[in-house]
Amino acid sequence: MDLRDFEADNSVSCRLSSPVPDLCRTEDCCLGIDEAGRGPVLGPMVYGICFCPVSRKENLKNLKVADSKTLSEAERENLFLKLDKAKGFVGWALQILSPNTISTSMLQRAKYNLNALSHDAAIGLVQYALDCGVQLKEVFVDTVGPAEKYEEKLSQRFPGVKVTVRPKADSLFPIVSAASICAKVARDHAVKDWKFTEDLGRVDTDYGSGYPNDPKTKSWLLKYLDPVFGYPQFVRFSWSTAQTLLDSKAVPVHWDDDEDREKAAARQNNTSVLSYFSRSKPAGNTPKRETHRFFTERRLQSIDTL
Amino acid sequence: MTTKKKRSAHTSNDSWVVIAADSALDKTKLDDGDPTFIRLRNPATGAASQYLFSRGDARLYEVKAFVEDFHSWFIDQTVQRDGRLLYVTPMDPLFLLLPYLQSGAVEGKFQPLQQIVMDEDYPGCTRLLKCTQALDTLQHVADEKVVGSQKFHRYSQEKTMDWLKKKVLNTVSALKKSNISVGGGVKSTTYVRVKQETDVTEEDYLRYAHGLISEYISEDLSKDLHKHLQLPEISSPKEVEPPSKKRKLSDKPVEAGEDYTKFNSADFARKPPKKMTAAQKTLAKVDKTGMKSMSSFFSPKVKQEMK
């Protein structure tokens, strides 16, 4: 698998795809969607679609594609090569969501959560297939969140296509298994040859599975924690594992949308209602000359010490 | 956020980010010592403020800091936690001398400057007397007498008022030149106006300039200057009385339009406030400063102002 397009800039989202088989433009097709790397704190999340003519489903079964989780890495590589060779009737496309994309989406001011991110990646890939002229009739998806809601969302988005959302779809439908293999292979490659944009010298690549509960991953996270910057872009900052470590080990950084601070400030600016009923006015209420608005509007103040 | 982050108090820095006038760092004369920061009595507040003397105390500069929450600097390979930006801008030293001259005026005598400008708390104030600009312009605020080789000074309120008035007028023209919004209404400086403000009067400019100059003089002087400029007092907004409602008259006995007793029943328990959706939360966070409430547009008082 050629990941050079992604490696050129692994801070953003990237789409990779096979050429679309001519058969898929003329015959009714089915399409499977699956993802790889949803849970890890390290590396990208990859969304994959695979499509083939409905009439060729049997051929796909003969390739013995199965749920990528039940296969060894070597078997997956093998199967992907087979899929890639079957370009006469099988097409695939991938959306690689870089860890940086995931971090910045989930941590931005208007929160964009992982489910929404996943749904949009899936929708984008289906739309891509339609735009390429694939005659889509059936779509099979492994669920993200409640299955009925997701199915309704996709059906509304793509009228005229029969959408089936099922948990464990990757073991039920060969076309979803195929998609899961493409996604998993891409994720493995991306993680294995991760090009660190940060200047870290020789990076210790022994980060284990990348899942938060892996002790190797945890000790790697501790090792590469910079007190000011936190982690390299390889790490999903929005994961609670990463955040907990940052909160305890790194320098505190305050943003103006930090919830707890906002409340504290609101409390500070308010005078308690009770104070208006007491005999003496609160000490802080003595009239003080207000700074002219020219300065307050520009946030300028006199200072007494440097 | 999983844990609460505590904000420690600002610690003093050994470096600052400063924008200074070239003249403040003038290097032509080498024998007079370096430019120095100094704490002097702020003429408006009476408290300490930072100032800067250029080389040889020839000129005075005030130090203002841009301070806003949640800012930090990256300076080369280091991080500076305070995001302050210091401005070192030229200042008329007469403003700093005025309080001393005024307090000396109580006795009504002509005195040598060295006797007037003394301050136990801020011994550095005597360096003001080296400022050439201060010495050259003293006659704007004080009467002068020369006896032999010595000069004596006495504070003059009339002169000071005229001098301050000129300052205000200068400020007005500077405000106009730099297109600073002096009217009421929207207060954000980042807000870009499409239309020129048309309803800004000369009085608005005068009032704004008076406010600016007042940042450099005592409160009493500010009041005197206000009178001297013949600015009308701003009357505090009258208390708004609720509009008298016209009652419909009818002969029929009054009956309740709705049955409120249902609220008394037991099953009408108070429900907990509904959880806000993410969209509502973000809406609630919007900066509402300068916004008017919708209802204010419908009150009769606003209508009067519009006329």
Side-chain angles (χ1 to χ4, degrees):
Chain A
M1 186 177 284
D2 184 5
L3 284 177
R4 268 177 298 180
D5 281 353
F6 176 61
E7 277 161 2
D9 181 3
N10 62 22
S11 66
V12 294
S13 180
C14 173
R15 176 167 299 159
L16 303 174
S17 55
S18 72
V20 176
D22 288 335
L23 263 183
C24 293
R25 293 186 215 266
T26 51
E27 281 191 45
D28 285 355
C29 289
C30 60
L31 182 146
I33 311 176
D34 199 14
E35 109 264 77
R38 189 180 168 76
V41 62
L42 300 178
M45 178 163 84
V46 181
Y47 253 82
I49 56 166
C50 240
F51 46 89
C52 74
V54 177
S55 58
R56 298 295 190 104
K57 271 186 182 170
E58 281 309 305
N59 300 41
L60 201 63
K61 251 183 204 160
N62 294 340
L63 288 177
K64 297 222 168 48
V65 290
D67 176 11
S68 65
K69 281 177 206 104
T70 63
L71 303 168
S72 72
E73 198 177 332
E75 284 172 313
R76 280 199 300 265
E77 292 284 334
N78 231 334
L79 275 172
F80 177 70
L81 290 178
K82 277 193 197 164
L83 278 171
D84 213 28
K85 265 190 201 139
K87 34 167 101 62
F89 64 97
V90 179
W92 54 265
L94 298 170
Q95 189 73 33
I96 306 182
L97 302 170
S98 71
N100 189 45
T101 307
I102 297 170
S103 304
T104 50
S105 300
M106 292 174 71
L107 294 175
Q108 69 191 2
R109 266 164 198 265
K111 301 285 177 277
Y112 181 27
N113 69 30
L114 197 66
N115 275 4
L117 201 61
S118 302
H119 289 183
D120 290 347
I123 288 169
L125 283 168
V126 174
Q127 190 60 51
Y128 163 81
L130 287 171
D131 292 345
C132 290
V134 177
Q135 297 297 309
L136 271 190
K137 284 289 163 306
E138 305 168 354
V139 169
F140 300 94
V141 197
D142 202 349
T143 190
V144 171
E148 301 86 45
K149 263 195 187 169
Y150 193 19
E151 191 168 294
E152 193 186 310
K153 184 174 176 180
L154 289 175
S155 303
Q156 269 179 0
R157 185 70 177 68
F158 301 107
V161 178
K162 191 183 170 297
V163 181
T164 312
V165 179
R166 284 286 147 71
K168 303 252 163 63
D170 49 353
S171 51
L172 296 172
F173 311 104
I175 195 70
V176 180
S177 311
S180 88
I181 287 165
C182 296
K184 183 75 177 149
V185 168
R187 152 118 186 136
D188 286 345
H189 283 237
V191 170
K192 203 188 276 170
D193 304 321
W194 187 263
K195 302 254 182 312
F196 287 89
T197 42
E198 297 81 7
D199 182 15
L200 299 174
R202 276 191 65 176
V203 188
D204 171 12
T205 50
D206 190 19
Y207 30 68
S209 67
Y211 278 86
N213 55 5
D214 186 336
K216 265 190 182 171
T217 303
K218 254 201 163 156
S219 62
W220 189 88
L221 282 175
L222 269 176
K223 185 173 170 187
Y224 282 97
L225 189 146
D226 180 279
V228 172
F229 297 101
Y231 298 110
Q233 282 188 7
F234 185 47
V235 177
R236 300 181 191 173
F237 281 65
S238 44
W239 255 235
S240 66
T241 325
Q243 276 180 357
T244 320
L245 285 176
L246 285 176
D247 284 341
S248 60
K249 296 278 192 305
V251 174
V253 177
H254 303 273
W255 303 94
D256 63 358
D257 58 347
D258 283 354
E259 292 260 343
D260 46 356
R261 225 210 73 95
E262 214 172 86
K263 279 179 207 149
R267 237 177 284 129
Q268 240 175 24
N269 290 336
N270 289 341
T271 325
S272 145
V273 175
L274 289 175
S275 69
Y276 294 101
F277 298 103
S278 63
R279 266 161 202 279
S280 59
K281 282 198 169 168
N285 264 3
T286 46
K288 208 188 136 205
R289 268 181 91 178
E290 259 178 53
T291 312
H292 191 253
R293 67 178 162 108
F294 176 87
F295 294 110
T296 50
E297 282 170 10
R298 287 161 182 77
R299 306 279 185 272
L300 290 172
Q301 37 181 260
S302 294
I303 47 170
D304 63 342
T305 43
L306 282 171
Chain B
M1 294 295 119
T2 42
T3 55
K4 280 198 176 178
K5 290 184 269 187
K6 269 195 189 154
R7 225 170 176 208
S8 55
H10 274 268
T11 43
S12 57
N13 293 298
D14 44 6
S15 63
W16 321 291
V17 184
V18 185
I19 293 182
D22 279 337
S23 59
L25 310 168
D26 188 17
K27 285 185 179 164
T28 45
K29 279 186 266 171
L30 286 169
D31 47 343
D32 289 338
D34 284 328
T36 43
F37 283 107
I38 186 167
R39 275 157 66 102
L40 294 172
R41 193 185 289 281
N42 186 313
T45 62
S49 285
Q50 281 287 343
Y51 297 89
L52 180 134
F53 279 119
S54 69
R55 205 168 276 281
D57 300 352
R59 266 178 290 219
L60 178 75
Y61 297 81
E62 69 168 330
V63 181
K64 288 266 185 210
F66 169 84
V67 182
E68 206 168 29
D69 267 350
F70 313 112
H71 284 69
S72 297
W73 291 104
F74 275 118
I75 303 169
D76 292 329
Q77 294 299 313
T78 61
V79 178
Q80 184 165 316
R81 63 166 295 168
D82 99 33
R84 286 198 311 183
L85 176 59
L86 302 186
Y87 290 93
V88 174
T89 48
M91 171 158 182
D92 190 335
L94 269 196
F95 282 118
L96 286 190
L97 287 174
L98 262 183
Y100 298 109
L101 287 166
Q102 264 191 303
S103 58
V106 182
E107 297 147 55
K109 282 189 291 192
F110 281 90
Q111 282 178 296
L113 274 180
Q114 284 75 11
Q115 272 179 38
I116 303 173
V117 185
M118 280 192 303
D119 198 328
E120 278 183 359
D121 300 329
Y122 303 95
C125 70
T126 52
R127 290 169 70 176
L128 287 167
L129 299 177
K130 288 210 241 163
C131 285
T132 43
Q133 192 192 355
L135 297 176
D136 293 347
T137 54
L138 259 178
Q139 78 273 8
H140 293 313
V141 296
D143 299 322
E144 214 174 78
K145 246 185 201 174
V146 185
V147 178
S149 63
Q150 255 202 315
K151 269 188 186 174
F152 297 87
H153 294 271
R154 186 178 66 185
Y155 171 73
S156 157
Q157 174 83 2
E158 303 92 271
K159 278 186 169 185
T160 304
M161 281 302 130
D162 287 337
W163 176 71
L164 285 173
K165 185 174 180 179
K166 274 182 204 150
K167 287 269 181 204
V168 169
L169 295 178
N170 281 348
T171 309
V172 166
S173 59
L175 287 171
K176 285 179 180 167
K177 226 184 271 173
S178 45
N179 240 336
I180 283 167
S181 144
V182 299
V186 180
K187 282 183 180 171
S188 169
T189 48
T190 48
Y191 176 76
V192 181
R193 278 180 185 74
V194 181
K195 272 196 292 183
Q196 278 283 317
E197 276 183 290
T198 47
D199 54 346
V200 177
T201 61
E202 200 63 21
E203 190 195 312
D204 286 330
Y205 274 109
L206 268 182
R207 205 179 284 285
Y208 194 95
H210 168 261
L212 261 178
I213 294 297
S214 297
E215 287 289 308
Y216 297 90
I217 53 180
S218 68
E219 198 163 1
D220 290 338
L221 266 185
S222 167
K223 280 178 189 154
D224 293 342
L225 179 60
H226 198 271
K227 272 185 216 138
H228 189 70
L229 291 169
Q230 290 164 332
L231 281 170
E233 293 285 336
I234 299 178
S235 53
S236 55
K238 278 172 250 161
E239 268 187 42
V240 190
E241 276 177 42
S244 56
K245 273 186 192 162
K246 278 178 197 161
R247 272 205 199 157
K248 278 183 192 164
L249 292 173
S250 76
D251 299 332
K252 285 172 191 166
V254 183
E255 264 179 58
E258 274 179 77
D259 178 19
Y260 290 103
T261 51
K262 64 182 177 190
F263 296 117
N264 298 337
S265 63
D267 56 17
F268 189 82
R270 250 201 169 190
K271 280 174 191 140
K274 266 189 194 163
K275 235 191 170 183
M276 283 202 285
T277 65
Q280 283 173 317
K281 268 187 203 163
T282 44
L283 253 183
K285 274 190 201 168
V286 166
D287 180 13
K288 293 188 199 76
T289 46
M291 286 191 197
K292 276 187 176 178
S293 80
M294 189 66 87
S295 56
S296 72
F297 291 98
F298 298 100
S299 73
K301 209 207 139 209
V302 177
K303 267 187 220 154
Q304 277 171 11
E305 277 173 7
M306 303 275 261
K307 268 178 204 171

